[in-house]
Amino acid sequence: IINSMPVLLGGALIGMYSEKVKPSFFLNTPYVLCPLLYAFRLWKSSRSLPPAKGDSRQKSTVLSMIDIVLCLGLGLCVCINFLRGFAGLGSNSHYFRLYANEVEPYLFSPTKFSTVQVLLNLFYQVPAGVAAVYALRVAGCTWLIDLSCVMAGAAIQGQLSYMVSSLHYLTPEEFRVPDASLAIFWSVNLLLLLVPHALLARCLLAPRFFAKTANRTE
């Protein structure tokens, strides 16, 4: 809901349907505020993760390799979200326009739902991805477990909606993904979908690295 409602409200207000917005439209506002308030409340609550003692936070070779792969994946996601964000804003840079025109013309859709979605990714998924890379390298960042849940939830809702809309037969043909670019489109969007879930799985299956030391219990 935290991801879907801003896209729905923002796209409706600035896109081609903005002239049809009625006062009842703002009845959706509680669906944005309530999840945010609950998220802040959850964020402030203490996580029941036992404090680490001695070398209990030491990574195995396999786990270290997994974290390196995750850091690379998160780095790629940050770059892709940066690229799509500025392409969605209508940047005149050759590279941004080339990507939007050849791979994801849905970014130019007059409904503006795609624009709001890539801006959410730019302003929230990018800093979250950078923070996640830091937490994978520095022990004791308990907050990454909660952050990875939010990232994964936003990714699956946002990416599935975006991919379906980009390919749906009701989307005007000029905004659909060209057949020649389908491989790139699927690679980029599946990466944005799967990396946050891989991060969540890593945090839940091997959380000891993120525990505070015994003398710094929460």
Side-chain angles (χ1 to χ4, degrees), residues 1-12 25 28-29 31-33 35-36 112-114 116-117 120-121 124-125 150 152-162:
I1 292 178
I2 291 177
N3 182 85
S4 63
M5 292 307 297
V7 174
L8 173 64
L9 301 180
F25 169 83
N28 290 297
T29 304
Y31 293 99
V32 177
L33 298 179
L36 287 174
K112 297 300 181 181
F113 294 121
S114 57
V116 178
Q117 180 61 69
L120 281 176
N121 290 346
Y124 294 101
Q125 291 281 24
V150 176
I156 193 169
Q157 194 286 324
Q159 285 305 119
L160 289 180
S161 299
Y162 183 88

Side-chain angles (χ1 to χ4, degrees), residues 62-85:
V62 173
L63 194 57
S64 296
M65 292 300 297
I66 291 174
D67 284 355
I68 291 174
V69 172
L70 280 173
C71 287
L72 292 175
L74 288 165
L76 282 174
C77 289
V78 166
C79 294
I80 292 169
N81 282 322
F82 185 85
L83 171 65
R84 294 205 311 173

Side-chain angles (χ1 to χ4, degrees), residues 98-115:
L98 178 65
Y99 178 82
N101 287 325
E102 299 298 329
V103 182
E104 297 190 23
Y106 183 60
L107 291 171
F108 297 135
S109 172
T111 62
K112 297 300 181 181
F113 294 121
S114 57
T115 301

Side-chain angles (χ1 to χ4, degrees), residues 4-203:
S4 63
M5 292 307 297
V7 174
L8 173 64
L9 301 180
L13 287 173
I14 67 174
M16 61 185 291
Y17 301 113
S18 59
E19 295 181 355
K20 299 180 181 180
V21 172
K22 298 180 179 180
S24 59
F25 169 83
F26 294 98
L27 292 175
N28 290 297
T29 304
Y31 293 99
V32 177
L33 298 179
C34 291
L36 287 174
L37 292 174
Y38 180 76
F40 284 124
R41 180 180 178 184
L42 182 65
W43 192 274
K44 291 182 179 181
S45 64
S46 59
R47 173 166 290 278
S48 57
L49 195 63
K53 297 181 180 180
D55 296 331
S56 61
R57 294 191 304 186
Q58 192 70 27
K59 293 182 183 180
S60 65
T61 303
V62 173
L63 194 57
S64 296
M65 292 300 297
I66 291 174
D67 284 355
I68 291 174
V69 172
L70 280 173
C71 287
L72 292 175
L74 288 165
L76 282 174
C77 289
V78 166
C79 294
I80 292 169
N81 282 322
F82 185 85
L83 171 65
R84 294 205 311 173
F86 280 89
L89 284 172
S91 171
N92 289 322
S93 170
H94 170 72
Y95 299 104
F96 294 139
R97 294 197 67 84
L98 178 65
Y99 178 82
N101 287 325
E102 299 298 329
V103 182
E104 297 190 23
Y106 183 60
L107 291 171
F108 297 135
S109 172
T111 62
K112 297 300 181 181
F113 294 121
S114 57
T115 301
V116 178
Q117 180 61 69
V118 295
L119 288 180
L120 281 176
N121 290 346
L122 176 63
F123 293 129
Y124 294 101
Q125 291 281 24
V126 166
V130 173
V133 171
Y134 170 84
L136 287 171
R137 307 307 300 166
V138 179
C141 298
T142 312
W143 46 264
L144 180 61
I145 301 175
D146 294 324
L147 179 62
S148 64
C149 291
V150 176
M151 291 176 66
I156 193 169
Q157 194 286 324
Q159 285 305 119
L160 289 180
S161 299
Y162 183 88
M163 289 188 289
V164 170
S165 299
S166 298
L167 301 168
H168 202 277
Y169 72 94
L170 289 179
T171 299
E173 187 174 357
E174 61 184 304
F175 302 123
R176 277 184 245 159
V177 181
D179 291 339
S181 303
L182 280 174
I184 300 175
F185 172 82
W186 282 112
S187 299
V188 166
N189 285 277
L190 287 178
L191 182 72
L192 294 175
L193 173 63
L194 296 177
V195 169
H197 287 82
L199 174 65
L200 175 60
R202 186 265 181 263
C203 292

